[in-house]
Amino acid sequence: MFDGVAKRYDLTNTVISMGQDRYWRWATRQALGLRPGERVLDLGAGTGVSTVEFGKSGAWCVATDFSQGMLQAGRFRNVPMVAGDAMALPFADESFDAVTISYALRNVSDPDLALREMLRVTKPGGRLVVAEFSTPTFGPFRTIYMEYLMKALPKVATAVSSNPDAYVYLAESIRAWPTQPQLALRIADAGWSAVKWRNLSGGAVALHRGYKLG
């Protein structure tokens, strides 16, 4: 499915998010608190647009995605790319200072296993940031948001995406995803410590951050 939307994926994301995707990437980089010389895994990186953003910090970032079509679509970007499965990462234990995954954890068939794999490849003291669509906190906005997801989003995607049916799945997967507190518990259950979250855009997106203790 993601191979099928790769060609116009970045454009479609900008359109359906009304341009907020750029802000969300910037906020994710700030949450990671990256320093020059650190090693960062950008998991579910797609075409690598987020990897480029994280690299602005001076950290060394590698884009990893299960979809080789997505990586192929982003090959023009000057970032290292590795095809890999989030549930069996092709990296050694304690390889990275930070790991992040943006809008891809709900696409993994076993998110809890993926969270444990991310913990495995993170150095002691390292951190995780999960950027994911979430549940708006204000009731009226939540109603409007859900209406947009289920009715307007597929129509918008039809106009700009190379595979509009994929965005019907996107809407359904967002609606079924855990709330912010529920996801925080799952991250903690996977072994991450001091898990907290921050809402963006009224809770339409949430950044969850955790740390790997020694």
Side-chain angles (χ1 to χ4, degrees):
M1 183 183 71
F2 282 95
D3 287 351
V5 300
K7 185 176 180 180
R8 306 184 73 180
Y9 184 75
D10 294 332
L11 171 63
T12 305
N13 283 349
T14 297
V15 171
I16 65 176
S17 70
M18 304 176 189
Q20 292 192 85
D21 58 322
R22 297 182 179 91
Y23 165 63
W24 296 338
R25 284 193 293 272
W26 175 86
T28 302
R29 175 162 67 90
Q30 298 302 307
L32 282 164
L34 302 174
R35 295 181 291 272
E38 288 192 314
R39 295 172 60 86
V40 183
L41 170 60
D42 183 15
L43 185 56
T47 66
V49 64
S50 54
T51 320
V52 171
E53 174 67 33
F54 304 148
K56 294 176 182 178
S57 64
W60 181 85
C61 305
V62 57
T64 297
D65 202 283
F66 190 71
S67 167
Q68 295 190 43
M70 294 287 278
L71 296 175
Q72 181 73 9
R75 65 178 180 174
F76 66 94
R77 295 193 166 102
N78 188 28
V79 295
M81 292 183 165
V82 176
D85 185 343
M87 298 181 294
L89 291 172
F91 303 107
D93 295 356
E94 302 179 3
S95 297
F96 298 97
D97 298 287
V99 178
T100 184
I101 183 168
S102 298
Y103 319 106
L105 186 59
R106 67 194 149 71
N107 298 321
V108 180
S109 58
D110 189 339
D112 302 304
L113 176 56
L115 287 166
R116 294 194 296 273
E117 270 293 276
M118 287 183 260
L119 185 74
R120 177 184 65 78
V121 301
T122 302
K123 297 177 182 178
R127 61 266 188 211
L128 165 75
V129 172
V130 177
E132 189 54 88
F133 294 111
S134 198
T135 305
T137 54
F138 181 56
F141 174 56
R142 183 165 58 248
T143 300
I144 294 170
Y145 174 70
M146 291 302 173
E147 285 290 306
Y148 172 72
L149 282 180
M150 302 311 299
K151 295 181 180 179
L153 187 150
K155 293 180 181 178
V156 173
T158 298
V160 295
S161 172
S162 53
N163 184 2
D165 289 343
Y167 288 86
V168 175
Y169 156 77
L170 172 69
E172 292 173 346
S173 68
I174 293 172
R175 187 173 63 172
W177 188 242
T179 63
Q180 292 89 322
Q182 290 170 341
L183 180 57
L185 285 174
R186 291 178 70 168
I187 294 171
D189 285 345
W192 295 93
S193 300
V195 179
K196 297 181 179 180
W197 72 87
R198 172 193 172 198
N199 289 319
L200 303 177
S201 303
V205 166
L207 300 179
H208 283 73
R209 182 169 59 186
Y211 296 87
K212 179 178 180 177
L213 298 184

